Amino acid sequence: MRGPVVADTADTTYHHGNLRAALLERAAAVLAESGPDGLSLRALARDLGVSHAAPSRHFRDRRALLDALAADGFTELNRRLSEAAGAPGDTESRLTGAARAYVRFAVERPALLGLMFAAKTEQDPTSCLRELGHESLRLAAALVEQGQREGLVRPGDPHRLAQVAFSTVHGLATLALGSLLDDTPLDEALDLAVDVLLHGLRAPAASV
Amino acid sequence: MRGPVVADTADTTYHHGNLRAALLERAAAVLAESGPDGLSLRALARDLGVSHAAPSRHFRDRRALLDALAADGFTELNRRLSEAAGAPGDTESRLTGAARAYVRFAVERPALLGLMFAAKTEQDPTSCLRELGHESLRLAAALVEQGQREGLVRPGDPHRLAQVAFSTVHGLATLALGSLLDDTPLDEALDLAVDVLLHGLRAPAASV
DNA sequence: ACCTGAACACCGTTCAAGT
DNA sequence: ACCTGAACACCGTTCAAGT
């Protein structure tokens, strides 16, 4: 060893131990630029200079790889959300910041967000993925609870109110990714959504 | 011809003219029970007793088939939405009814809804799909406009307010499909979402 | 026009065998 | 433990040829 060589160029020395990490890294790049359908285990193995059967040691399935990518996506999203939720400022600006962080994530990694929520549809077991998704909702619920203490949000189960808030922001991200927002600047659409949402959360339940 | 035989059993007489329709019908069934990844052109052809190259006459691509399915999905969704939007009752109950119709569609055809919004991410041209998605938003905008005339909804561009309303309902459907609503009954979550939404839409913009 | 059959280049998955 | 190489059963897509 001649020094603290952490990661020179991606020469040829994967193989021992970091194949799993290398697969995930390369897979994330391919997903971002070719979508999930462009992601092939064999091509991945080829890119990494490894036999086409090698990935199966680290991921039983193609699905397992996809799920791992989605899990990493939720982890990163939750990191950003909790950072935004812990930022200085009042609860209203924190909630706005979290919404912005969510939409930013969606715009930066559209295919990944799609995978995160598409994967769940075909899931059943005690999935690690579902747990990570719940963590997102828990972060939102914590913000809602803060808002309730300040009288900014109506009384009621913070988890249920958080489901509504999450729906609005996630739905808007979906519209944006689907080019369904047209000429509306995403920032403006988001500001309006947050405004409507905050007013709706404040008002006491009664109308319906 | 011995009588008004509309659709006997699906015997063997596709072939002439209705192969396209037969492919779409079978594809919709496979999509519903196996997801998009379980949909293979060759298997479809096999199911219909036709050569594996035959589908290419009617759908240039696998994508073209998927897009056609998504388009049919939007058409059906829009049919249901406009029916709900034209139902008797006041604007508030019509808006609630449209939201319910949306979520019902999502629950009945989860894979199709996923396809409808996933397909758009990878789209670019003057897609017929995007136009059908816009129609959904236009239906929502019409309802918002009705609400404005009755003083139920704040002033402002109805299309932009409709984007917010659509986001909330679509987002909630996504959460439900992803098993992220947990033990919350979907009906209750939807009622709460509509309540928050209506209060938010009514309140004049000011807070942000 | 509409479909067939063969061909091509790719897949995911499995499994004995190597080191 | 970790990886290889061959094998199997499937793909999507194309294209000459049939009727």
Side-chain angles (χ1 to χ4, degrees):
Chain A
M1 301 210 294
R2 299 194 56 227
V5 175
V6 174
D8 215 337
T9 46
D11 265 342
T12 39
T13 20
Y14 293 107
H15 308 40
H16 283 39
N18 51 354
L19 212 205
R20 191 192 142 93
L23 282 166
L24 280 173
E25 187 187 356
R26 179 70 191 137
V30 173
L31 174 68
E33 71 180 31
S34 307
D37 289 351
L39 198 51
S40 134
L41 290 178
R42 286 179 106 111
L44 239 41
R46 229 152 29 212
D47 291 349
L48 264 42
V50 94
S51 125
H52 68 258
S56 74
R57 287 291 136 183
H58 302 92
F59 300 100
R60 186 155 35 111
D61 258 344
R62 200 184 99 102
R63 272 239 63 81
L65 210 205
L66 259 13
D67 285 350
L69 283 177
D72 284 358
F74 268 117
T75 302
E76 166 68 7
L77 174 63
N78 289 341
R79 203 189 57 71
R80 296 198 196 185
L81 286 181
S82 66
E83 182 185 326
D90 57 9
T91 298
E92 185 171 320
S93 72
R94 278 201 285 255
L95 219 147
T96 304
R100 265 191 238 284
Y102 193 96
V103 169
R104 207 179 309 126
F105 179 85
V107 168
E108 285 174 18
R109 297 165 146 82
L112 181 56
L113 190 78
L115 191 63
M116 286 158 60
F117 284 89
K120 320 291 278 326
T121 306
E122 307 162 18
Q123 283 282 338
D124 42 315
T126 40
S127 167
C128 156
L129 254 185
R130 191 143 48 211
E131 181 46 40
L132 285 166
H134 280 122
E135 177 64 16
S136 302
L137 283 164
R138 247 176 270 128
L139 291 168
L143 275 176
V144 165
E145 225 167 345
Q146 276 182 40
Q148 287 177 323
R149 276 196 292 269
E150 300 177 16
L152 196 77
V153 175
R154 66 169 80 171
D157 184 345
H159 287 91
R160 297 213 174 179
L161 292 166
Q163 288 165 352
V164 177
F166 193 93
S167 294
T168 302
V169 177
H170 175 75
L172 191 73
T174 304
L175 284 195
L177 265 38
S179 311
L180 251 25
L181 243 36
D182 268 338
D183 55 337
T184 308
L186 179 50
D187 286 344
E188 291 183 26
L190 182 60
D191 285 345
L192 182 60
V194 169
D195 182 74
V196 169
L197 180 61
L198 284 175
H199 275 100
L201 287 176
R202 176 154 27 202
S207 138
V208 167
Chain B
M1 306 210 293
R2 299 193 57 227
V5 174
V6 174
D8 217 336
T9 44
D11 266 341
T12 40
T13 19
Y14 292 107
H15 308 39
H16 283 38
N18 51 353
L19 212 206
R20 191 193 142 94
L23 282 166
L24 281 174
E25 187 187 357
R26 179 72 192 135
V30 173
L31 173 68
E33 73 180 30
S34 307
D37 289 352
L39 198 52
S40 133
L41 290 178
R42 285 178 106 110
L44 240 42
R46 227 151 33 213
D47 291 347
L48 264 43
V50 94
S51 126
H52 68 257
S56 73
R57 286 292 137 185
H58 302 92
F59 300 100
R60 185 153 36 110
D61 259 343
R62 201 183 98 102
R63 271 239 64 81
L65 210 205
L66 259 13
D67 286 350
L69 283 177
D72 284 358
F74 268 117
T75 302
E76 168 68 8
L77 175 62
N78 288 341
R79 202 189 58 71
R80 296 198 196 186
L81 286 181
S82 67
E83 182 184 327
D90 57 11
T91 299
E92 186 171 319
S93 72
R94 277 201 287 253
L95 219 148
T96 304
R100 265 191 237 285
Y102 193 97
V103 169
R104 206 179 310 129
F105 179 85
V107 169
E108 285 175 17
R109 296 167 146 80
L112 181 55
L113 191 76
L115 191 64
M116 285 157 61
F117 284 88
K120 321 290 279 325
T121 307
E122 309 162 16
Q123 283 282 338
D124 42 314
T126 40
S127 165
C128 156
L129 255 185
R130 190 143 49 211
E131 181 46 40
L132 286 165
H134 279 121
E135 178 64 16
S136 301
L137 284 164
R138 244 176 272 129
L139 291 167
L143 275 176
V144 165
E145 224 168 345
Q146 277 181 40
Q148 286 177 324
R149 276 195 292 270
E150 299 177 16
L152 195 78
V153 175
R154 67 169 80 170
D157 183 345
H159 287 91
R160 298 214 174 178
L161 291 166
Q163 288 164 353
V164 176
F166 193 93
S167 294
T168 301
V169 177
H170 174 75
L172 191 73
T174 304
L175 284 195
L177 265 37
S179 311
L180 252 24
L181 244 35
D182 268 337
D183 56 336
T184 308
L186 179 51
D187 286 345
E188 292 184 24
L190 182 60
D191 286 345
L192 182 61
V194 169
D195 182 73
V196 169
L197 181 61
L198 285 175
H199 276 99
L201 287 176
R202 177 154 26 203
S207 134
V208 169

